[in-house]
Amino acid sequence: MKNNKLLFKTVAEYFEKIENTSSRNEKTKYLSELFEVANRDEIDILIYLSLGRISPMYEKTDFNIGVKTIINIYSKVASIESKDVKSKYQEIGDIGEVFESIYRNSVGDPLSINNVFNILKKITQIKGKDSVDNKSNVLIDLYKKITPIEGKYISRIVVGDLRLGFSDKTILDAISFVLNGNKKDRKLIEKLYFQCSDLGMVAKISIFEKDLIDKVYIIPGIPLFAKLVDRPKSLGDIFNRFKKVFVQPKYDGMRCQIHIFQGKVKLFSRNLDDITEMYPDIVNLFGEFPVNTAILDSEIIGVDSDNKFLTFQNTSQRKRKYNIDQKVADIPVNIFIFDLIYLNGESFINISLDKRLEKLKDVFQYINIKNLFISETKLVSDIDTLNKIFRKYIELGFEGVVVKNPHSLYTPGVRNVDWLKIKKDSYVGIVDTIDAVIIGYYYGRGVRSKFGIGAVLAGIYNKKEDRFESICKIGTGFKDNDLVFLKKKLDEIKSDEVPDQYFVNKNLYPDVWVEPKYVIVVKSDEISRSKVHTAGINKKNTIGYALRFPRFINFRDDKGIYDITSLSEIEIYGEKWK
Ligand code: ATP
């Protein structure tokens, strides 16, 4: 079978089967059957066509032909009045099916997918004054040679509405089915796809060069999927996982993958769209770049006349197809390079981030290009320093920080704990210390039993409700003499009842309640949301704030109980994970 040319009619018949089932499994099965009959020179074309395209996703497929033009074309091909074709279209609602309903002829030799592909490609290349007429003439010729079912799908491709109801992911499954009749190799194929977003090439390698599937395919000019950024569960979690992390500012701009190759520069967006034409200023920056080939990961961010960062909304105004020169003048941009993916013939995706950044520095050390920067990267090993850097960057106008595992590889398309974002709107900061009042205490266990006190329950003040709400149970940081002092002093102000001004969850009731009197300074790693503590709980909100890893620092005799940290301060400082 593979020696014969794959006919577009066969493809169209499969398209119809795929369209007529809503089962993803069946769609996958039909696709794999279809892929199996394609030979080496057809498979990439088949993949593009089955996605309604004549090129990989990152290259534009612009037919610039609307339904109106197709209606006129049909009218000529089938010798029917335009208005009748139009009313058929209004009745059916699908330009493909309209062709089937008005055109029943089938003449000439069936066309191969290569023929159809070349004709479609030719149409996209027709430009200029009479382009609509010239494109129409090519299509009229084509329609006269084909069967109704072929016309149905060609028309849909041309107007950009193929409607087969599957995505690139289904194609990955189908390729796996071609290889061994199941989805077993899907992950392997996906890995290849994430490196090389040309799905036609992925299918060709997977099916015809099986032994090469697991090789690295980073090809300048073909965008790879961007490595993605996750959110940490909590800041503590970061240092539970990594001893040291790199911290970079988080730019609130647009992701940009820069490809420098064969004397050209190409730019791709987060979604792998080719955005080169929208940023001629950036392309110029790389004009004199002293490397042969490189792929860099970066963020573009607009700046005002004082070189202050613009908001994301304003930067994104640059993403325009028209009046580009004006936009370049109105919205100058800075570009921050934060990763190196490829350099002079060598892929860096399997090299650890610390080494990638070192190399990046090497490359850039002699380069001084206005508006082009290498991202500042700091090595950090504790929460306090991370907090300070985070705050500094916020003050400088960044969106937050991105925390990265120095050993992380550049895994395209993958979102995991290796890169974590901390944004100012989802996380407002860590209070170094808070002042809290002691609400009660718990008897000590183990070595602490001899003191009769092991931990205290502490609260902050909610001004609006005029009450003290618990925020932490704290047993760490007390020296023996602190415990002795506390036991003595707290017993003097014991209360048999829950004092009126306390709002505490039953699960946290202390062994001994005390009147609000003693203010203590508590340090914590961060503020997190909690189901047991009542700080910040109101009718709408059933989750309160709590201090994570609270430690006693010292007593605050100089503070009255109403001067302690208030709920509103906690709300400002508290993290509100989105
Ligand atoms: P997604 O993670 O799906 O891209 P998103 O579009 O909402 O989600 P953000 O929440 O803004 O993105 O965070 C991730 C983005 O942050 C990255 O895609 C990148 O564009 C940007 N970014 C800014 N600074 C950096 C940096 N130093 N390192 C990596 N990415 C950065």
Side-chain angles (χ1 to χ4, degrees):
M1 188 69 185
K2 285 205 181 181
N3 294 328
N4 296 333
K5 282 199 173 119
L6 178 56
L7 300 182
F8 189 75
K9 185 154 181 286
T10 311
V11 174
E13 282 161 1
Y14 266 102
F15 281 0
E16 190 150 71
K17 286 192 210 172
I18 293 167
E19 185 187 349
N20 287 341
T21 174
S22 56
S23 149
R24 180 161 167 191
N25 281 343
E26 273 186 26
K27 283 183 196 283
T28 310
K29 191 182 120 247
Y30 290 137
L31 270 176
S32 68
E33 283 174 20
L34 180 56
F35 294 168
E36 260 171 45
V37 294
N39 67 36
R40 213 191 145 89
D41 304 325
E42 294 163 337
I43 187 71
D44 44 356
I45 288 173
L46 178 59
I47 298 276
Y48 305 144
L49 289 174
S50 61
L51 285 167
R53 308 179 56 85
I54 52 158
S55 61
M57 299 301 271
Y58 57 87
E59 273 174 27
K60 282 185 222 124
T61 292
D62 269 346
F63 290 99
N64 284 328
I65 295 176
V67 166
K68 236 165 133 188
T69 310
I70 299 283
I71 288 175
N72 290 334
I73 293 171
Y74 284 177
S75 134
K76 289 189 182 128
V77 174
S79 307
I80 304 177
E81 292 242 2
S82 252
K83 67 173 181 14
D84 295 332
V85 182
K86 194 172 167 196
S87 64
K88 266 263 180 248
Y89 174 64
Q90 278 159 350
E91 180 194 321
I92 298 175
D94 169 40
I95 198 69
E97 283 177 28
V98 172
F99 188 74
E100 279 188 308
S101 78
I102 59 171
Y103 190 74
R104 308 231 157 259
N105 301 16
S106 170
V107 285
D109 290 334
L111 293 173
S112 70
I113 60 160
N114 275 307
N115 290 149
V116 172
F117 179 83
N118 290 334
I119 293 167
L120 292 177
K121 194 154 196 146
K122 186 170 145 196
I123 292 172
T124 62
Q125 286 159 354
I126 298 175
K127 305 261 173 326
K129 209 164 83 291
D130 300 322
S131 63
V132 177
D133 286 346
N134 295 337
K135 286 179 196 179
S136 298
N137 290 337
V138 177
L139 273 174
I140 290 169
D141 265 2
L142 177 63
Y143 283 124
K144 282 184 178 162
K145 289 185 204 146
I146 55 181
T147 53
I149 190 170
E150 291 172 280
K152 172 180 174 183
Y153 290 103
I154 288 175
S155 296
R156 286 193 189 171
I157 291 173
V158 169
V159 299
D161 190 13
L162 186 56
R163 301 188 188 185
L164 297 187
F166 63 81
S167 67
D168 50 352
K169 303 281 182 238
T170 313
I171 292 196
L172 298 177
D173 284 342
I175 298 172
S176 176
F177 266 87
V178 174
L179 298 189
N180 42 37
N182 58 41
K183 288 190 196 168
K184 212 180 89 231
D185 281 335
R186 150 76 194 263
K187 277 264 159 275
L188 198 62
I189 299 161
E190 185 176 69
K191 194 169 166 209
L192 170 61
Y193 177 45
F194 283 168
Q195 292 177 23
C196 166
S197 61
D198 180 343
L199 208 43
M201 192 187 282
V202 168
K204 194 175 268 186
I205 293 168
S206 307
I207 298 172
F208 295 98
E209 313 274 355
K210 253 188 233 168
D211 297 347
L212 303 178
I213 294 189
D214 56 355
K215 298 278 172 295
V216 173
Y217 286 90
I218 303 296
I219 303 167
I222 300 182
L224 59 152
F225 281 70
K227 180 170 171 66
L228 298 174
V229 191
D230 211 340
R231 287 198 171 85
K233 283 200 197 76
S234 68
L235 293 189
D237 194 42
I238 295 174
F239 292 100
N240 286 343
R241 286 174 189 279
F242 309 112
K243 272 205 183 116
K244 292 182 179 173
V245 288
F246 281 146
V247 180
Q248 294 177 335
K250 183 171 191 307
Y251 316 96
D252 194 9
M254 326 257 285
R255 187 115 181 216
C256 180
Q257 200 178 97
I258 304 153
H259 289 235
I260 301 159
F261 64 110
Q262 297 165 5
K264 280 188 282 194
V265 178
K266 267 192 185 285
L267 311 175
F268 298 99
S269 71
R270 152 85 169 75
N271 296 329
L272 313 189
D273 293 329
D274 186 338
I275 51 169
T276 314
E277 280 175 16
M278 296 171 193
Y279 296 94
D281 43 346
I282 293 178
V283 172
N284 277 341
L285 293 184
F286 288 97
E288 304 284 300
F289 209 64
V291 298
N292 288 334
T293 50
I295 303 177
L296 306 164
D297 203 351
S298 75
E299 188 91 348
I300 298 171
I301 182 160
V303 286
D304 65 15
S305 49
D306 298 326
N307 217 29
K308 283 224 172 74
F309 296 139
L310 300 181
T311 59
F312 172 75
Q313 276 71 20
N314 286 335
T315 300
S316 52
Q317 302 278 320
R318 276 295 303 273
K319 250 190 131 189
R320 287 286 166 84
K321 286 194 185 138
Y322 308 102
N323 289 339
I324 290 170
D325 291 345
Q326 188 59 47
K327 282 286 160 205
V328 171
D330 290 349
I331 310 176
V333 292
N334 281 348
I335 181 154
F336 291 89
I337 316 268
F338 56 75
D339 217 321
L340 174 73
I341 295 168
Y342 188 95
L343 185 68
N344 295 337
E346 197 188 340
S347 158
F348 276 66
I349 63 164
N350 287 331
I351 291 177
S352 63
L353 178 61
D354 49 358
K355 302 225 166 59
R356 299 203 301 275
L357 292 181
E358 232 169 68
K359 193 77 193 172
L360 192 62
K361 259 199 204 151
D362 277 0
V363 172
F364 276 86
Q365 62 182 329
Y366 303 112
I367 298 176
N368 185 2
I369 303 177
K370 203 173 158 259
N371 302 336
L372 177 74
F373 305 92
I374 293 282
S375 185
E376 189 171 63
T377 304
K378 296 191 151 92
L379 189 63
V380 173
S381 55
D382 66 285
I383 280 196
D384 288 344
T385 315
L386 172 58
N387 185 21
K388 278 197 197 99
I389 295 174
F390 172 76
R391 283 170 189 234
K392 188 192 104 186
Y393 283 142
I394 297 288
E395 271 163 33
L396 290 172
F398 294 100
E399 196 195 7
V401 293
V402 181
V403 172
K404 300 181 177 178
N405 170 7
H407 304 299
S408 57
L409 308 181
Y410 193 100
T411 38
V414 172
R415 190 193 301 278
N416 64 20
V417 290
D418 275 342
W419 285 17
L420 298 165
K421 57 191 169 195
I422 307 172
K423 297 200 225 180
K424 68 171 175 238
D425 60 351
S426 57
Y427 165 82
V428 185
I430 313 158
V431 226
D432 272 347
T433 58
I434 67 151
D435 302 326
V437 71
I438 296 177
I439 290 174
Y441 71 84
Y442 306 89
Y443 300 134
R445 273 190 228 115
V447 282
R448 293 244 168 121
S449 59
K450 65 175 185 247
F451 299 108
I453 179 170
V456 301
L457 183 66
I460 43 105
Y461 182 54
N462 180 338
K463 274 195 188 126
K464 206 159 130 227
E465 302 289 339
D466 184 26
R467 67 188 183 197
F468 295 96
E469 301 176 342
S470 84
I471 191 153
C472 64
K473 182 178 170 181
I474 159 171
T476 309
F478 297 112
K479 298 196 191 76
D480 288 358
N481 56 350
D482 293 329
L483 292 171
V484 172
F485 173 81
L486 269 174
K487 170 81 171 116
K488 182 163 172 287
K489 291 292 178 191
L490 294 180
D491 280 348
E492 286 169 12
I493 52 169
K494 254 192 208 177
S495 166
D496 293 338
E497 313 252 296
V498 187
D500 277 356
Q501 271 186 301
Y502 289 176
F503 178 42
V504 176
N505 186 318
K506 282 223 162 52
N507 294 330
L508 274 178
Y509 273 14
D511 297 318
V512 178
W513 293 103
V514 299
E515 296 295 337
K517 177 166 181 182
Y518 289 101
V519 176
I520 55 173
V521 179
V522 185
K523 191 173 168 69
S524 85
D525 284 354
E526 61 189 297
I527 295 172
S528 54
R529 303 308 306 245
S530 153
K531 286 201 174 113
V532 287
H533 285 288
T534 45
I537 285 187
N538 56 33
K539 283 193 192 96
K540 275 192 282 173
N541 193 355
T542 52
I543 296 188
Y545 291 102
L547 300 187
R548 232 174 109 87
F549 305 128
R551 279 100 66 195
F552 168 79
I553 300 297
N554 56 293
F555 291 99
R556 272 310 290 260
D557 310 335
D558 58 330
K559 263 204 170 169
I561 58 171
Y562 298 111
D563 305 323
I564 63 171
T565 305
S566 67
L567 173 62
S568 37
E569 285 171 87
I570 292 290
E571 280 172 340
I572 292 168
Y573 282 126
E575 55 183 9
K576 294 172 194 144
W577 300 103
K578 279 203 281 187

